[in-house]
Amino acid sequence: MNRVYLSLGSNIGDRLLFLQQAVRSLQGVKGVKVSQVSSVYETDPVGYVDQDAFLNIVVELETSMTPLELLKKCNEIEAELGRTREIHWGPRTVDLDILLYNEEVVETENLIIPHPRMSERGFVLIPLVEINSDLREPRTNRSFIELAHTLKEGVHLWRPSNGVDAFMRF
Ligand code: GSY
């Protein structure tokens, strides 16, 4: 089994419902077990800033899927939940990014792991270290919890975590 961390974000419509539906879809995938879900954070937009605030979470999975199989599945879930890519880095119903796959470094045309921008993003690192404070960046060996301490601005606890099953019952 492989241990994987995904970042999920939504900033259109019923943001929490989109996150819940995405987690439910992941739970339904053969070869995937959702083992942890972080608290929900409301976060200022990063990149294209003229858009609404996001809700962000990080989930931990145990999976037998390969990185590319998982990427395909994440793209399918985004499409099912209505994501269109009109503005690059613009508003989205739900976005699923693979952050870490064990401690492996993966570089293909369509997928880079660890996620290339994760170390600069508070909306990724704060929920990530909440569910696993021991993680380190596989390329640099830098501690994510140390990086997260410097990236708290614009990241606000919106709903505390109360477990995977409870997350689905909100
Ligand atoms: O890369 C994920 C999509 N995204 C987000 C996001 O999820 N949260 C915040 N706060 N800003 C973002 N900018 C982009 S692009």
Side-chain angles (χ1 to χ4, degrees):
M1 276 295 169
N2 302 289
R3 178 170 294 175
V4 179
Y5 293 88
L6 304 183
S7 168
L8 280 69
S10 171
N11 76 336
I12 295 181
D14 190 336
R15 300 170 299 171
L16 178 61
L17 190 62
F18 283 122
L19 296 179
Q20 288 172 316
Q21 286 175 334
V23 173
R24 188 167 290 129
S25 298
L26 287 166
Q27 282 178 317
V29 177
K30 193 165 166 277
V32 171
K33 177 176 178 278
V34 179
S35 40
Q36 292 200 72
V37 179
S38 73
S39 297
V40 182
Y41 293 83
E42 187 164 55
T43 67
D44 295 346
V46 171
Y48 177 70
V49 294
D50 188 17
Q51 57 178 325
D52 292 337
F54 282 77
L55 290 185
N56 283 106
I57 57 173
V58 166
V59 301
E60 181 190 79
L61 311 178
E62 306 292 331
T63 184
S64 55
M65 295 175 102
T66 66
L68 285 175
E69 287 168 342
L70 190 59
L71 175 68
K72 185 163 174 277
K73 188 47 74 179
C74 289
N75 290 341
E76 284 169 13
I77 293 171
E78 288 177 348
E80 275 161 24
L81 294 178
R83 170 153 179 209
T84 55
R85 290 169 188 256
E86 277 140 29
I87 306 178
H88 187 57
W89 287 11
R92 65 267 329 267
T93 51
V94 71
D95 187 72
L96 286 82
D97 288 329
I98 304 175
L99 302 175
L100 299 169
Y101 187 95
N102 302 317
E103 282 152 34
E104 294 176 28
V105 174
V106 176
E107 285 196 29
T108 71
E109 201 182 326
N110 299 320
L111 180 64
I112 300 178
I113 302 173
H115 189 287
R117 288 172 296 283
M118 64 180 290
S119 294
E120 303 141 30
R121 292 177 163 182
F123 70 82
V124 169
L125 292 191
I126 287 166
L128 177 69
V129 302
E130 177 197 313
I131 59 176
N132 187 340
S133 57
D134 294 331
L135 291 169
R136 288 178 173 270
E137 216 283 353
R139 291 174 195 271
T140 61
N141 203 37
R142 289 181 77 185
S143 154
F144 284 127
I145 200 162
E146 284 173 21
L147 290 166
H149 280 309
T150 66
L151 293 168
K152 288 183 176 159
E153 204 180 315
V155 179
H156 310 284
L157 182 61
W158 190 81
R159 196 175 295 221
S161 168
N162 52 1
V164 178
D165 292 338
F167 178 77
M168 306 313 303
R169 283 200 303 273
F170 275 167

